[in-house]
């Protein structure tokens, strides 16, 4: 286990670099290397060289390596969390930096434990067909800035488990976190098998079109996902795309406002709202609308926001100025349209950091931009509805379909509503609770392909039927 300073020094660039600033304070976190297309070529060459021997180890030895990698993450957990908090902005405590590092270890172990046996499709005495899954080869993983370590592990753990090598292109906002994570993982992995190329858009574009890369896994915006589809089409790459979400939550009239308020709050404001599958628009029945608003306002007012290194903070800044401006603009437009700001808004622009206060917006039209566009920040619009059919129609009215939730005291009624919602995952009385054993993926323009568990492993392999 290295000290924080030693870990940071080990990943700092020695040639061309980019200064990374703390979004909470504006202080320098470190110097990230700016890798180029030549670096990418070296990484892909190394991956191609390392992959066959890794695949030949077999599932049991690859499982053992992933378990050792999880141990390595835990040995450096506090140093990784400190770096993550400084670079991304999320607090150490709450469902934030320490939680994210812990999830990295958990997902590595889950990938190691997942089973993927050959499947006998037909064996009737005349025909014998067995379905197997073979490694793809080299997988390209392009990740986001909101959960940079955890989502990178979501991508690389099943890829490695299946016998692939991986080249990672992190977000330009959070390269240090991913470089540090990879350094720790590589303590237990063969050389060249996992490489991070911390470059710009040109590196991502080349990775997506490179003929030696057999699959791209991408988490990020729908616009970038569409660009990757185009870039990858020339080589007919396999794709798993987890794209933008604008998740709806529907509170049925029989729900208990006090009982569900905490779950609603963290469903919306986990990671200060910077989560693809966060609750981003909340539909509440007229009968309990005011009570739900009151309960959420009480929690929002009492939840501390501040510098991530302050042990009392559980909400932090937005990660970058661009996202701060988007949230601020959407809230102000909602206010100007006549919507009622229950709490928040009016950020203090004189303080350092990209802090936007926890904001609840009531009495807002369903077609307001704060509802119709993904805000990706700490501002939740709360929309009234009169009938369940009306709520379902509004929930299904957008092109996004990553996640959704239904809140009710009647599980049977909630499940009936959930079945009518167009989303890859619909949670009941919770929101955004991902599980490494449970498949996860989007519908509509929120992407395609599944991650996690056995289905996630299958997505990182090439199906082969041996018939005879």
């Amino acid at each position: 286990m290295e000290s924080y300073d030693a870990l940071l020094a080990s990943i700092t660039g020695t040639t061309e670099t980019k200064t990374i600033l703390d979004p909470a304070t504006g202080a320098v976190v470190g110097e990230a290397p700016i890798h180029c297309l030549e670096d990418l070529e070296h990484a892909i060459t190394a991956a191609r060289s390392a992959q066959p021997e890794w695949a030949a180890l077999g599932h049991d030895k690859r499982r053992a390596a992933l378990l050792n990698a999880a141990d390595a993450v835990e040995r450096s957990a506090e140093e990784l969390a400190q770096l993550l908090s400084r670079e991304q902005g999320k607090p150490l405590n709450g469902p934030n930096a320490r939680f994210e590092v812990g999830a990295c270890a958990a997902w590595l172990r889950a990938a190691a434990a997942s089973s993927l046996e050959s499947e006998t499709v037909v064996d009737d005495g005349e025909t014998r067909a067995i379905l197997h899954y073979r490694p793809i080869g080299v997988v390209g993983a392009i990740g986001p800035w909101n959960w940079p370590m955890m989502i990178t592990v979501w991508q690389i753990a099943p890829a490695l488990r299946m016998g692939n090598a991986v080249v990672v292109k992190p977000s330009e906002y959070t390269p240090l976190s991913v470089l540090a994570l990879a350094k720790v993982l590589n303590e237990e992995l063969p050389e060249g098998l996992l490489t991070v190329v911390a470059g710009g858009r040109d590196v991502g574009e080349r990775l997506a079109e490179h003929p030696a890369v057999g699959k791209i896994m991408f988490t990020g915006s729908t616009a970038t996902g569409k660009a990757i589809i185009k870039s990858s089409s020339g080589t007919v790459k396999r794709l798993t795309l987890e794209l933008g979400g604008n998740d709806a939550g529907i509170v049925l009239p029989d729900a208990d406002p006090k009982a569900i308020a905490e779950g609603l709050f963290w469903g919306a404001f986990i990671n200060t709202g910077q989560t693809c599958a966060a609750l981003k628009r909340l539909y509440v029945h007229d009968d309990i609308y005011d009570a739900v608003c009151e309960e959420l306002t009480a929690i929002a007012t009492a939840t501390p926001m501040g510098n991530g290194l302050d042990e009392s903070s559980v909400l932090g800044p937005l990660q970058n100025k661009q996202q701060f401006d988007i949230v601020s603009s959407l809230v102000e437009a909602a206010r100007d349209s006549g919507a009622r700001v229950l709490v928040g808004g009016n950020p203090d622009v004189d303080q350092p950091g990209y802090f936007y206060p926890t904001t609840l917006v009531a009495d807002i039209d369903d077609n307001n931009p704060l509802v119709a566009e993904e805000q990706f920040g700490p501002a939740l619009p709360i929309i009234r509805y009169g009938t369940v059919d009306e709520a379902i129609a509004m929930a299904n009215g957008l092109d996004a379909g990553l996640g959704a939730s239904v809140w009710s005291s009647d599980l049977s009624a909630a499940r009936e509503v959930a079945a009518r919602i167009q989303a890859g995952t619909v949670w009941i009385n919770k929101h955004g609770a991902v599980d490494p054993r449970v498949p996860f993926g989007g519908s509509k323009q929120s992407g395609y392909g599944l991650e996690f568990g056995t289905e996630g492993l299958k997505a990182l392999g090439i199906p082969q039927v041996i018939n005879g």
Side-chain angles (χ1 to χ4, degrees):
M1 178 175 59
E2 297 178 286
S3 69
Y4 172 82
D5 290 338
L7 180 62
L8 182 60
S10 70
I11 59 172
T12 296
T14 56
T15 55
E16 186 180 3
T17 62
K18 174 183 179 180
T19 302
I20 301 296
L21 303 179
D22 186 331
T25 65
V28 173
V29 178
E31 298 292 324
I34 301 176
H35 294 138
C36 64
L37 294 178
E38 184 178 357
D39 296 316
L40 177 63
E41 290 298 331
H42 288 319
I44 292 173
T45 298
R48 294 181 72 185
S49 176
Q51 187 271 329
E53 186 174 351
W54 173 251
L57 287 177
H59 284 292
D60 288 344
K61 290 184 177 179
R62 294 199 297 270
R63 283 191 183 103
L66 290 183
L67 292 174
N68 289 338
D71 291 341
V73 169
E74 290 180 338
R75 287 195 299 270
S76 295
E78 185 61 20
E79 292 75 22
L80 290 170
Q82 292 274 340
L83 176 56
L84 178 61
S85 182
R86 286 179 165 96
E87 182 179 50
Q88 201 282 334
K90 63 183 64 183
L92 291 169
N93 290 322
N96 292 298
R98 289 175 177 138
F99 167 86
E100 180 168 347
V101 174
C104 290
W107 250 265
L108 285 161
R109 290 200 168 92
S114 295
S115 177
L116 182 57
E117 304 295 333
S118 299
E119 178 185 347
T120 300
V121 180
V122 178
D123 191 1
D124 61 4
E126 295 182 3
T127 299
R128 183 176 185 271
I130 310 296
L131 174 63
H132 306 269
Y133 285 86
R134 311 300 189 197
I136 294 168
V138 178
V139 172
I142 304 175
W145 50 259
N146 58 335
W147 296 90
M149 290 184 180
M150 185 175 72
I151 290 179
T152 294
V153 167
W154 289 1
Q155 296 170 332
I156 67 178
L160 294 172
R161 165 78 169 75
M162 276 299 299
N164 301 297
V166 188
V167 177
V168 178
K169 195 278 181 191
S171 166
E172 294 170 67
Y173 288 115
T174 52
L176 294 174
S177 296
V178 179
L179 285 162
L181 174 67
K183 182 183 184 301
V184 170
L185 295 175
N186 279 328
E187 294 172 7
E188 302 293 342
L189 297 174
E191 185 176 354
L193 191 68
L194 170 64
T195 306
V196 177
V197 183
R201 181 176 296 180
D202 59 334
V203 169
E205 291 174 350
R206 179 57 179 158
L207 184 62
E209 69 183 17
H210 201 290
V213 176
K215 170 152 186 157
I216 293 291
M217 299 189 75
F218 171 72
T219 297
S221 72
T222 299
T224 302
K226 291 177 179 178
I228 287 172
I229 293 170
K230 292 178 181 177
S231 297
S232 66
S233 64
T235 50
V236 197
K237 281 184 177 45
R238 288 160 175 80
L239 298 174
T240 295
L241 303 176
E242 198 253 87
L243 306 180
N246 196 343
D247 288 13
I250 298 177
V251 179
L252 299 184
D254 69 339
D256 178 348
K258 185 176 288 292
I260 66 173
E262 184 101 2
L264 286 173
F265 181 85
W266 285 112
F269 293 103
I270 186 172
N271 198 28
T272 316
Q274 300 166 110
T275 298
C276 294
L279 173 56
K280 298 190 175 80
R281 47 196 176 110
L282 180 62
Y283 298 95
V284 182
H285 192 272
D286 280 327
D287 290 352
I288 57 172
Y289 184 88
D290 291 336
V292 169
C293 288
E294 289 173 8
E295 295 293 341
L296 284 173
T297 299
I299 295 174
T301 303
T303 304
M305 174 182 287
N307 188 319
L309 299 181
D310 183 339
E311 296 282 352
S312 67
S313 298
V314 291
L315 295 173
L318 290 162
Q319 202 283 325
N320 55 77
K321 179 67 160 56
Q322 179 181 6
Q323 201 59 42
F324 178 93
D325 289 344
I326 288 171
V327 175
S328 183
S329 174
L330 288 171
V331 172
E332 286 310 302
R335 192 200 305 269
D336 292 344
S337 74
R340 181 164 52 102
V341 177
L342 299 175
V343 64
N346 301 315
D348 182 356
V349 295
D350 293 327
Q351 72 170 336
Y354 304 127
F355 288 96
Y356 195 92
T358 309
T359 302
L360 299 169
V361 181
D363 298 331
I364 185 170
D365 292 335
D366 186 53
N367 60 2
N368 189 284
L370 182 59
V371 181
E373 300 175 18
E374 184 183 19
Q375 70 276 45
F376 215 70
L380 178 66
I382 309 173
I383 305 100
R384 293 180 184 268
Y385 75 87
T387 68
V388 172
D389 287 345
E390 177 189 3
I392 293 170
M394 290 189 289
N396 290 340
L398 301 180
D399 288 334
L402 186 57
S405 56
V406 181
W407 304 76
S408 173
S409 299
D410 183 340
L411 279 178
S412 178
R415 288 170 181 152
E416 289 181 8
V417 173
R420 298 172 61 190
I421 297 176
Q422 298 164 0
T425 300
V426 183
W427 292 276
I428 295 176
N429 293 330
K430 56 189 173 183
H431 195 108
V434 292
D435 184 314
R437 302 165 300 176
V438 178
F440 177 71
S443 65
K444 299 196 278 191
Q445 292 197 31
S446 289
Y448 47 75
L450 290 172
E451 300 176 274
F452 310 161
T454 299
E455 295 304 317
L457 288 180
K458 289 179 180 179
L460 271 304
I462 297 174
Q464 181 191 48
V465 174
I466 295 180
N467 194 328

